[in-house]
Amino acid sequence: MSVISYGLVRARVRPSGSMLARNWIAMRRAWVLIVSGGVESLLFLFAFGFGVGSMVGDITLPDGTAISYTAYVAPAILANAAMMGTLLETSINVFAKFKWMKVYDGILNTPMRPGDVALGEVWWALIRGGIYVGMFVIAMGAFGLLDSWWSVLAVPACVFIALAFAGIGLTLATFFREWTDFDWMMAVVFAMFLFGGTFTPVEAYPGFAQPIVYVMPLYHGIELVRGLSLGAFHPMMLVNVLYLMALAAVGTWVAQRRLAKALYK
Amino acid sequence: MTAVAAPAPARLGHAAGAWRAFLLQLALYRHIWHGTAFSSVILPILYMVSIGIGVGSYIDDASTGGITYAEFIAPGLIASVAVMMLGNDMVYPVFGGYREWGGSYLAQRATPLRPVDILNGHLLYAVVFRPLTACTVVAVVLAFFGVYTSAWAALAVVAAVFVSASIAPWLFAWCSSLKSESMLNAVFRFAIMPITLFSGVFFPAEQMPGFLQPLVWLSPLWHGTELARAATADVAPALPPIAHLAYLVALGAGGWLAARRVVVRRLSF
Amino acid sequence: MPLDNEILVRARDLRKRYGNHEAVRGVDFEIRRGEAFGFLGANGAGKSTTMRMIGCVSEPSGGHLEVFDLDPHTDGPAIRARLGVVPQDNTLDTMLTVFENLTVYAGYFGIKRREAKAKAAELLEFVQLSARANDQVNDLSGGMQRRLAIARSLINAPDLVLLDEPTTGLDPQARHLVWERLFQLKQQGVSILLTTHYMDEAEQLCDRLVVMDEGRIIAAGSPRELIDTYVTKEVVELRFAGRHTTALAELALELDGIGGQIEPLPDRILVYTDDAEDTAAALEARDIRPTSVLDRRATLEDVFLRLTGRALVEDEA
């Protein structure tokens, strides 16, 4: 039984590996570009974690514990790095491959299905997001922000964020018509970064704003990563994970449907 | 080529040429203004709410020299709008100006405009028109946060124009000489972002590690923020205002010479 | 050659509708193993749409289609695994080198890396691009890109190669080089399906072809059969210095009875005939002295224009 299902999974997943291989070969010459994207998050860490953080000193959390502001902000910026790595890859790069370079038109003449393409793009986005997360965690360690072994759990937590935004990005890529649409996406992303609980506890927000924050995918990612890296577990984390996974599944499914509709004319 | 048949046209003056090229840029702007409204106007206000008010409530006035944190970052936000807008106006449009898919320079070159007119026209747009409009809007909105000490705050917009003028020609020169667009993102990551984040806008520059201090002094935005803060919060700048201004003007003039060299080379056929 | 009569593609009353517009309006055809089959027609005749349906990247709106005895609706991947496709716009991957375009594409078919590399090198040799293996695709000329697309379509040793207007937009040298390669494929027994609006191309490469017009098949057969059925063996072209359009139309009336059909064009008169010498003699007998007389074999172009009329078919794109 398990042998059969293993074989089935392998058969379903293997074609998406070819898509992944294509991206790896295409982008390995541009690795500087990819890696340098991780630098942005480090700049935010230095500016807000350390620069502004040294002015704030300690921050008192809603549950009464006080931690350094730097340790408070760093996990949120880590979550942001996981988001940006996957979102940029799946939205802008997939849009370019889909509408400009017509890469998928060629691929769909092979046994590959739209679902394989979408899944392959998700894997690749996870790798890129993983590079950003890895760079950031190393920097956190180097600056003494990883003070317990729980912090290591922040990395798998980032996988949920990355999956969710891979799904969202893929779907957006199929909806966008021109490059200016990305300005609007970046606007929403930045608003989430500023108001998703990155810099101050959501409990400190005015009451009317709180429900809006709870809808933001990034908020759930930040809660998850921050909770784990501070070693503070909470049943709500299950909700965070479920919300992110739902976004990942729906996003990827919608994207492959839309790809199929656009390419199987 | 055509000079044989056509009557010699009256020589186009430099001011007239720049003005004409500026009007062309303005015509393009009418198609894109809504896309740039976010980064130029809304983003700085979101920063003010999230960082200035939100994080500011955890910051003691003593660490910002006796003014509130919102008062501390307001002038820097106005000046940094000028820098962020250059990311819109002086990167892709310049690179694309020489290419078929953008082509605005190639199209302008097909008119009597000289390369230097095209440069000046684009600078007039990006350095004067854009900051004077966007930074003014931001400055007015920030007034509702009660972060100014006097009407002299209006001078912060002038400081922003000088910051823009000191950086824009360098971006023009750099983006004009690039062969591949893959390096364009590097402009954001390694120039615009670090300048915005580490020029004393969000935290006093003295908090930077000592070995990084010289880099802060090089940053045009730091000079502009010092000037703008003097205007909005009546805080004495690090150097005499004339010294800050002189640095920005000298940087801009050097950049203009470099940009002129590149644009003449790229657009002379 | 295996099973000469094995049918690879079978279409019955095949239809494709886009909104209110019916691009393919019920076509029937069969493509057999080992043959080179052509769709001939003007832009918008429905050739490419039909080909996309065979390639399982376009769902038929009606009728019946079978490829390799499989149903494209349910077995798309299995069918595509056995097809080679050269789309009109190549769809090469511009982020990859020439060689990588082949090896990566092989990956989509699940071909192992080592095997893919060997096969890619062999195919580059075949399309004479070995020297450009490590170049970027965008640095290649149009003809080279098309040859690369042909090489790419062969990477999975397909049972049937689909070529959508293989030489459109190429200069004469590039065109002949592509024809040469396709002819070689044909010699090797590869089954080919191509669309074209070039008559000479169809004549050179196709064993059998159908002529499409406005979504329908209006004629089918081998090039020779079509010529025999729809036009005469030979065509005599008569030119009269200083006379054109109306003058020629009037003159054409005088030619009635000479040869077969008479067709006045703006610059010349065509006389369809089975015997050019008879026609020349008849002209002389009536004392009609053209400035120039050219007799030639009838071509598919004559068939095509005869069938679809000379009025310009508006491009629907």
Side-chain angles (χ1 to χ4, degrees), chain A residues 5-22 107 110-113 115-121 123, chain C residues 104-116:
Chain A
S5 57
Y6 169 74
L8 205 65
V9 168
R10 215 175 103 105
R12 301 289 306 182
V13 170
R14 205 169 150 201
S16 64
S18 313
M19 186 72 230
L20 175 63
R22 180 262 165 211
I107 292 176
T110 73
M112 301 274 286
R113 290 156 300 194
D116 302 324
V117 169
L119 209 54
E121 292 294 359
W123 302 144
Chain C
V104 167
Y105 205 73
Y108 301 142
F109 288 92
I111 297 169
K112 297 258 185 319
R113 274 183 72 77
R114 182 177 304 181
E115 199 186 321

Tab-separated table of all heavy atoms in Angstrom, chain A residues 5-22 107 110-113 115-121 123, chain C residues 104-116:
chain	number	residue	atom	x	y	z
A	5	SER	N	1.486	4.168	-2.879
A	5	SER	CA	1.258	5.602	-2.717
A	5	SER	C	2.580	6.353	-2.870
A	5	SER	O	2.608	7.467	-3.421
A	5	SER	CB	0.614	5.904	-1.365
A	5	SER	OG	1.408	5.414	-0.325
A	6	TYR	N	3.697	5.749	-2.410
A	6	TYR	CA	4.981	6.399	-2.614
A	6	TYR	C	5.252	6.568	-4.112
A	6	TYR	O	5.629	7.636	-4.572
A	6	TYR	CB	6.097	5.579	-1.961
A	6	TYR	CG	7.476	6.043	-2.362
A	6	TYR	CD1	7.991	7.226	-1.838
A	6	TYR	CD2	8.241	5.309	-3.269
A	6	TYR	CE1	9.251	7.665	-2.216
A	6	TYR	CE2	9.493	5.750	-3.648
A	6	TYR	CZ	10.000	6.918	-3.131
A	6	TYR	OH	11.233	7.352	-3.515
A	7	GLY	N	4.992	5.487	-4.858
A	7	GLY	CA	5.206	5.545	-6.306
A	7	GLY	C	4.335	6.602	-6.953
A	7	GLY	O	4.770	7.343	-7.826
A	8	LEU	N	3.110	6.721	-6.453
A	8	LEU	CA	2.168	7.686	-7.000
A	8	LEU	C	2.655	9.108	-6.749
A	8	LEU	O	2.679	9.944	-7.652
A	8	LEU	CB	0.800	7.478	-6.333
A	8	LEU	CG	-0.410	7.933	-7.137
A	8	LEU	CD1	-0.542	7.087	-8.387
A	8	LEU	CD2	-1.665	7.823	-6.284
A	9	VAL	N	3.072	9.365	-5.507
A	9	VAL	CA	3.575	10.690	-5.160
A	9	VAL	C	4.780	11.017	-6.021
A	9	VAL	O	4.910	12.109	-6.573
A	9	VAL	CB	3.939	10.745	-3.658
A	9	VAL	CG1	4.726	12.012	-3.350
A	9	VAL	CG2	2.677	10.691	-2.815
A	10	ARG	N	5.676	10.036	-6.165
A	10	ARG	CA	6.875	10.247	-6.962
A	10	ARG	C	6.509	10.601	-8.398
A	10	ARG	O	7.058	11.535	-8.974
A	10	ARG	CB	7.705	8.977	-6.940
A	10	ARG	CG	9.184	9.217	-6.938
A	10	ARG	CD	9.873	7.884	-6.782
A	10	ARG	NE	10.388	7.491	-8.093
A	10	ARG	CZ	11.668	7.554	-8.406
A	10	ARG	NH1	12.550	7.963	-7.539
A	10	ARG	NH2	12.084	7.201	-9.598
A	11	ALA	N	5.550	9.883	-8.944
A	11	ALA	CA	5.147	10.135	-10.326
A	11	ALA	C	4.520	11.516	-10.470
A	11	ALA	O	4.677	12.181	-11.479
A	11	ALA	CB	4.165	9.053	-10.781
A	12	ARG	N	3.793	11.958	-9.431
A	12	ARG	CA	3.153	13.265	-9.498
A	12	ARG	C	4.178	14.385	-9.338
A	12	ARG	O	4.037	15.453	-9.911
A	12	ARG	CB	2.100	13.427	-8.378
A	12	ARG	CG	0.994	12.421	-8.404
A	12	ARG	CD	0.038	12.608	-9.541
A	12	ARG	NE	-0.525	13.956	-9.610
A	12	ARG	CZ	-1.420	14.318	-10.520
A	12	ARG	NH1	-1.850	13.431	-11.392
A	12	ARG	NH2	-1.893	15.538	-10.549
A	13	VAL	N	5.169	14.137	-8.492
A	13	VAL	CA	6.091	15.213	-8.137
A	13	VAL	C	7.245	15.318	-9.126
A	13	VAL	O	7.778	16.385	-9.359
A	13	VAL	CB	6.610	14.993	-6.687
A	13	VAL	CG1	7.738	15.945	-6.369
A	13	VAL	CG2	5.461	15.175	-5.707
A	14	ARG	N	7.608	14.205	-9.739
A	14	ARG	CA	8.792	14.185	-10.565
A	14	ARG	C	8.794	15.211	-11.704
A	14	ARG	O	9.790	15.896	-11.902
A	14	ARG	CB	9.000	12.784	-11.124
A	14	ARG	CG	10.454	12.553	-11.450
A	14	ARG	CD	10.686	11.105	-11.730
A	14	ARG	NE	11.802	11.037	-12.676
A	14	ARG	CZ	12.026	10.011	-13.445
A	14	ARG	NH1	11.218	8.976	-13.398
A	14	ARG	NH2	13.044	10.016	-14.255
A	15	PRO	N	7.683	15.363	-12.450
A	15	PRO	CA	7.702	16.356	-13.527
A	15	PRO	C	7.982	17.771	-13.008
A	15	PRO	O	8.666	18.549	-13.662
A	15	PRO	CB	6.301	16.272	-14.131
A	15	PRO	CG	5.796	14.931	-13.748
A	15	PRO	CD	6.409	14.622	-12.426
A	16	SER	N	7.475	18.094	-11.813
A	16	SER	CA	7.723	19.430	-11.280
A	16	SER	C	9.217	19.614	-10.995
A	16	SER	O	9.724	20.729	-11.011
A	16	SER	CB	6.894	19.673	-10.018
A	16	SER	OG	7.289	18.801	-8.991
A	17	GLY	N	9.903	18.490	-10.760
A	17	GLY	CA	11.348	18.569	-10.567
A	17	GLY	C	12.058	19.056	-11.824
A	17	GLY	O	13.076	19.744	-11.744
A	18	SER	N	11.506	18.731	-12.996
A	18	SER	CA	12.111	19.196	-14.247
A	18	SER	C	11.989	20.705	-14.374
A	18	SER	O	12.857	21.383	-14.911
A	18	SER	CB	11.431	18.547	-15.445
A	18	SER	OG	11.295	17.174	-15.238
A	19	MET	N	10.872	21.236	-13.886
A	19	MET	CA	10.678	22.692	-13.883
A	19	MET	C	11.702	23.332	-12.951
A	19	MET	O	12.315	24.353	-13.272
A	19	MET	CB	9.252	22.978	-13.402
A	19	MET	CG	8.838	24.430	-13.484
A	19	MET	SD	8.580	24.981	-15.169
A	19	MET	CE	9.559	26.464	-15.172
A	20	LEU	N	11.882	22.708	-11.799
A	20	LEU	CA	12.863	23.193	-10.829
A	20	LEU	C	14.253	23.190	-11.453
A	20	LEU	O	15.017	24.151	-11.332
A	20	LEU	CB	12.817	22.310	-9.586
A	20	LEU	CG	13.847	22.590	-8.495
A	20	LEU	CD1	13.643	23.977	-7.936
A	20	LEU	CD2	13.730	21.558	-7.384
A	21	ALA	N	14.566	22.089	-12.141
A	21	ALA	CA	15.893	21.974	-12.761
A	21	ALA	C	16.100	23.078	-13.789
A	21	ALA	O	17.177	23.678	-13.883
A	21	ALA	CB	16.036	20.603	-13.426
A	22	ARG	N	15.043	23.383	-14.543
A	22	ARG	CA	15.133	24.444	-15.542
A	22	ARG	C	15.477	25.780	-14.875
A	22	ARG	O	16.337	26.510	-15.344
A	22	ARG	CB	13.816	24.548	-16.292
A	22	ARG	CG	13.771	25.612	-17.357
A	22	ARG	CD	13.108	26.866	-16.847
A	22	ARG	NE	13.361	27.989	-17.724
A	22	ARG	CZ	13.455	29.232	-17.321
A	22	ARG	NH1	13.339	29.525	-16.055
A	22	ARG	NH2	13.691	30.199	-18.156
A	107	ILE	N	6.929	24.622	-22.757
A	107	ILE	CA	6.924	23.494	-21.824
A	107	ILE	C	5.635	22.680	-21.949
A	107	ILE	O	5.649	21.457	-21.828
A	107	ILE	CB	7.098	24.008	-20.381
A	107	ILE	CG1	8.501	24.589	-20.211
A	107	ILE	CG2	6.859	22.897	-19.375
A	107	ILE	CD1	8.760	25.203	-18.870
A	110	THR	N	5.168	19.487	-23.957
A	110	THR	CA	5.776	18.255	-23.480
A	110	THR	C	4.779	17.579	-22.544
A	110	THR	O	3.697	18.125	-22.314
A	110	THR	CB	7.074	18.571	-22.709
A	110	THR	OG1	6.720	19.147	-21.458
A	110	THR	CG2	7.960	19.533	-23.482
A	111	PRO	N	5.114	16.430	-21.987
A	111	PRO	CA	4.146	15.786	-21.083
A	111	PRO	C	3.832	16.609	-19.834
A	111	PRO	O	2.928	16.261	-19.081
A	111	PRO	CB	4.854	14.475	-20.694
A	111	PRO	CG	5.809	14.213	-21.805
A	111	PRO	CD	6.260	15.557	-22.283
A	112	MET	N	4.562	17.698	-19.588
A	112	MET	CA	4.323	18.515	-18.391
A	112	MET	C	2.909	19.102	-18.407
A	112	MET	O	2.424	19.559	-19.426
A	112	MET	CB	5.321	19.663	-18.352
A	112	MET	CG	6.763	19.229	-18.323
A	112	MET	SD	7.355	18.897	-16.677
A	112	MET	CE	7.500	20.551	-16.057
A	113	ARG	N	2.296	19.125	-17.212
A	113	ARG	CA	0.967	19.740	-17.073
A	113	ARG	C	1.102	21.063	-16.326
A	113	ARG	O	2.089	21.299	-15.641
A	113	ARG	CB	0.054	18.804	-16.280
A	113	ARG	CG	-0.330	17.553	-17.049
A	113	ARG	CD	-0.707	16.446	-16.109
A	113	ARG	NE	0.417	16.111	-15.235
A	113	ARG	CZ	0.491	15.021	-14.500
A	113	ARG	NH1	-0.487	14.171	-14.511
A	113	ARG	NH2	1.543	14.791	-13.741
A	115	GLY	N	-0.145	21.996	-13.661
A	115	GLY	CA	0.087	21.747	-12.239
A	115	GLY	C	1.553	21.450	-11.953
A	115	GLY	O	2.090	21.859	-10.920
A	116	ASP	N	2.215	20.733	-12.860
A	116	ASP	CA	3.640	20.435	-12.676
A	116	ASP	C	4.442	21.721	-12.723
A	116	ASP	O	5.394	21.913	-11.959
A	116	ASP	CB	4.136	19.493	-13.783
A	116	ASP	CG	3.352	18.194	-13.812
A	116	ASP	OD1	2.973	17.715	-12.734
A	116	ASP	OD2	3.123	17.675	-14.919
A	117	VAL	N	4.065	22.601	-13.657
A	117	VAL	CA	4.760	23.879	-13.786
A	117	VAL	C	4.598	24.689	-12.499
A	117	VAL	O	5.571	25.189	-11.932
A	117	VAL	CB	4.206	24.666	-14.992
A	117	VAL	CG1	4.725	26.094	-14.995
A	117	VAL	CG2	4.580	23.970	-16.299
A	118	ALA	N	3.354	24.786	-12.030
A	118	ALA	CA	3.091	25.574	-10.820
A	118	ALA	C	3.865	25.018	-9.635
A	118	ALA	O	4.506	25.766	-8.885
A	118	ALA	CB	1.587	25.594	-10.527
A	119	LEU	N	3.834	23.693	-9.498
A	119	LEU	CA	4.509	23.065	-8.364
A	119	LEU	C	6.024	23.285	-8.455
A	119	LEU	O	6.684	23.576	-7.460
A	119	LEU	CB	4.178	21.573	-8.353
A	119	LEU	CG	4.171	20.878	-6.999
A	119	LEU	CD1	3.249	21.604	-6.035
A	119	LEU	CD2	3.718	19.427	-7.164
A	120	GLY	N	6.564	23.155	-9.672
A	120	GLY	CA	7.999	23.371	-9.857
A	120	GLY	C	8.390	24.785	-9.480
A	120	GLY	O	9.449	25.017	-8.872
A	121	GLU	N	7.533	25.750	-9.816
A	121	GLU	CA	7.818	27.133	-9.451
A	121	GLU	C	7.779	27.311	-7.934
A	121	GLU	O	8.536	28.096	-7.379
A	121	GLU	CB	6.825	28.086	-10.123
A	121	GLU	CG	6.964	28.172	-11.642
A	121	GLU	CD	8.279	28.794	-12.091
A	121	GLU	OE1	9.098	29.182	-11.226
A	121	GLU	OE2	8.511	28.874	-13.314
A	123	TRP	N	8.599	24.989	-5.709
A	123	TRP	CA	9.859	24.441	-5.162
A	123	TRP	C	10.977	25.459	-5.295
A	123	TRP	O	11.753	25.693	-4.384
A	123	TRP	CB	10.292	23.160	-5.884
A	123	TRP	CG	9.330	22.016	-5.890
A	123	TRP	CD1	9.129	21.138	-6.919
A	123	TRP	CD2	8.448	21.598	-4.840
A	123	TRP	NE1	8.164	20.228	-6.584
A	123	TRP	CE2	7.736	20.482	-5.323
A	123	TRP	CE3	8.190	22.067	-3.570
A	123	TRP	CZ2	6.786	19.820	-4.547
A	123	TRP	CZ3	7.229	21.412	-2.811
A	123	TRP	CH2	6.550	20.314	-3.295
C	104	VAL	N	17.470	20.730	-21.110
C	104	VAL	CA	16.382	21.040	-20.186
C	104	VAL	C	15.058	20.528	-20.742
C	104	VAL	O	14.239	19.953	-20.019
C	104	VAL	CB	16.312	22.557	-19.917
C	104	VAL	CG1	15.019	22.931	-19.222
C	104	VAL	CG2	17.500	22.989	-19.074
C	105	TYR	N	14.870	20.704	-22.033
C	105	TYR	CA	13.633	20.234	-22.669
C	105	TYR	C	13.534	18.712	-22.544
C	105	TYR	O	12.452	18.172	-22.318
C	105	TYR	CB	13.635	20.651	-24.138
C	105	TYR	CG	12.271	20.790	-24.753
C	105	TYR	CD1	11.444	21.860	-24.421
C	105	TYR	CD2	11.800	19.864	-25.677
C	105	TYR	CE1	10.192	22.005	-25.003
C	105	TYR	CE2	10.555	20.005	-26.260
C	105	TYR	CZ	9.755	21.071	-25.923
C	105	TYR	OH	8.519	21.208	-26.498
C	106	ALA	N	14.674	18.049	-22.679
C	106	ALA	CA	14.684	16.592	-22.505
C	106	ALA	C	14.199	16.230	-21.110
C	106	ALA	O	13.500	15.236	-20.920
C	106	ALA	CB	16.088	16.039	-22.746
C	107	GLY	N	14.556	17.069	-20.146
C	107	GLY	CA	14.120	16.834	-18.772
C	107	GLY	C	12.605	16.808	-18.649
C	107	GLY	O	12.055	16.020	-17.873
C	108	TYR	N	11.930	17.648	-19.425
C	108	TYR	CA	10.466	17.670	-19.355
C	108	TYR	C	9.864	16.348	-19.816
C	108	TYR	O	8.722	16.038	-19.514
C	108	TYR	CB	9.897	18.807	-20.220
C	108	TYR	CG	10.386	20.183	-19.839
C	108	TYR	CD1	10.658	21.139	-20.808
C	108	TYR	CD2	10.588	20.529	-18.505
C	108	TYR	CE1	11.107	22.407	-20.467
C	108	TYR	CE2	11.042	21.787	-18.152
C	108	TYR	CZ	11.300	22.726	-19.139
C	108	TYR	OH	11.733	23.968	-18.804
C	109	PHE	N	10.632	15.588	-20.606
C	109	PHE	CA	10.163	14.274	-21.052
C	109	PHE	C	10.645	13.168	-20.122
C	109	PHE	O	10.443	12.000	-20.400
C	109	PHE	CB	10.657	13.988	-22.475
C	109	PHE	CG	9.954	14.800	-23.522
C	109	PHE	CD1	10.471	16.013	-23.930
C	109	PHE	CD2	8.769	14.369	-24.095
C	109	PHE	CE1	9.828	16.776	-24.892
C	109	PHE	CE2	8.113	15.121	-25.053
C	109	PHE	CZ	8.644	16.335	-25.451
C	110	GLY	N	11.317	13.573	-19.056
C	110	GLY	CA	11.824	12.574	-18.124
C	110	GLY	C	13.036	11.819	-18.636
C	110	GLY	O	13.344	10.734	-18.156
C	111	ILE	N	13.741	12.416	-19.621
C	111	ILE	CA	14.937	11.757	-20.144
C	111	ILE	C	16.103	12.022	-19.198
C	111	ILE	O	16.301	13.144	-18.743
C	111	ILE	CB	15.257	12.288	-21.565
C	111	ILE	CG1	14.100	11.936	-22.515
C	111	ILE	CG2	16.578	11.731	-22.072
C	111	ILE	CD1	14.183	12.633	-23.856
C	112	LYS	N	16.861	10.991	-18.920
C	112	LYS	CA	17.988	11.104	-17.980
C	112	LYS	C	19.059	12.061	-18.521
C	112	LYS	O	19.259	12.171	-19.729
C	112	LYS	CB	18.623	9.727	-17.761
C	112	LYS	CG	17.682	8.735	-17.122
C	112	LYS	CD	17.993	8.583	-15.644
C	112	LYS	CE	17.160	7.522	-14.958
C	112	LYS	NZ	15.745	7.460	-15.319
C	113	ARG	N	19.751	12.714	-17.607
C	113	ARG	CA	20.697	13.766	-17.996
C	113	ARG	C	21.763	13.301	-18.987
C	113	ARG	O	22.027	13.974	-19.975
C	113	ARG	CB	21.382	14.342	-16.759
C	113	ARG	CG	20.591	15.444	-16.099
C	113	ARG	CD	21.356	16.007	-14.925
C	113	ARG	NE	22.500	16.808	-15.346
C	113	ARG	CZ	22.405	18.050	-15.820
C	113	ARG	NH1	21.234	18.621	-15.925
C	113	ARG	NH2	23.490	18.724	-16.163
C	114	ARG	N	22.351	12.147	-18.670
C	114	ARG	CA	23.447	11.699	-19.532
C	114	ARG	C	22.956	11.443	-20.950
C	114	ARG	O	23.543	11.877	-21.931
C	114	ARG	CB	24.091	10.438	-18.936
C	114	ARG	CG	25.265	9.954	-19.763
C	114	ARG	CD	25.922	8.768	-19.133
C	114	ARG	NE	26.337	9.061	-17.749
C	114	ARG	CZ	26.960	8.189	-16.962
C	114	ARG	NH1	27.231	6.987	-17.397
C	114	ARG	NH2	27.308	8.509	-15.732
C	115	GLU	N	21.818	10.754	-21.000
C	115	GLU	CA	21.215	10.438	-22.292
C	115	GLU	C	20.844	11.728	-23.031
C	115	GLU	O	21.035	11.863	-24.243
C	115	GLU	CB	19.963	9.601	-22.024
C	115	GLU	CG	19.451	8.804	-23.189
C	115	GLU	CD	18.128	8.136	-22.832
C	115	GLU	OE1	17.987	7.670	-21.672
C	115	GLU	OE2	17.243	8.104	-23.692
C	116	ALA	N	20.320	12.696	-22.259
C	116	ALA	CA	19.893	13.962	-22.843
C	116	ALA	C	21.069	14.690	-23.474
C	116	ALA	O	20.959	15.259	-24.568
C	116	ALA	CB	19.242	14.836	-21.766
